[in-house]
Amino acid sequence: MVSDTRAPDTLWMSAPRFAVELIAWIAAPWALASRSVLLAIAAVVLLIGIPTLFGTPGGKTQRPIVAIPGGLSIVVELLQPAVAIIASWAAWPPAVAAVVTVAAVVACYLQLPRWRWLADH
């Protein structure tokens, strides 16, 4: 276990992560609304609620409500870009979805130092 008490999470690392989270929060209900408004609402509640509830202490500025191991935090955090990519391809024109895909990949790349820290905790 590494002795650092906080994960590296600079503004240039966290801002793209947050942008992708916003995209997921918009794209998922957009893609699901034609099937079910309740499903669209549930998707947003889960996309916001799961990362808010579960996290590794020191992984973000705020303390998690439910502490989980770092490896599981990485899995939880990968949910947002995965949903952003999948939902954007389902809901929006291919050119927009391609931009979302690139943004999500870049955001994930910028998270690598943080994920290395989480993997050790």
Side-chain angles (χ1 to χ4, degrees):
M1 198 181 247
V2 176
S3 63
D4 296 339
T5 59
R6 297 263 329 256
D9 197 21
T10 62
L11 180 60
W12 64 271
M13 292 167 65
S14 62
R17 179 181 69 231
F18 181 66
V20 170
E21 289 174 0
L22 285 176
I23 292 168
W25 301 345
I26 294 166
W30 195 315
L32 295 170
S34 65
R35 300 223 185 267
S36 166
V37 172
L38 289 177
L39 190 57
I41 293 168
V44 173
V45 169
L46 289 173
L47 285 169
I48 295 171
I50 290 173
T52 301
L53 289 174
F54 302 98
T56 301
K60 293 186 181 176
T61 304
Q62 66 276 15
R63 278 179 56 97
I65 296 169
V66 178
I68 59 175
L72 192 52
S73 282
I74 296 168
V75 172
V76 167
E77 289 182 14
L78 283 170
L79 176 69
Q80 302 281 350
V83 169
I85 291 168
I86 293 166
S88 68
W89 282 98
W92 298 332
V96 175
V99 170
V100 169
T101 301
V102 170
V105 169
V106 168
C108 287
Y109 176 77
L110 293 173
Q111 291 303 297
L112 290 177
R114 192 165 166 280
W115 289 345
R116 283 186 202 101
W117 183 93
L118 285 169
D120 289 340
H121 289 80

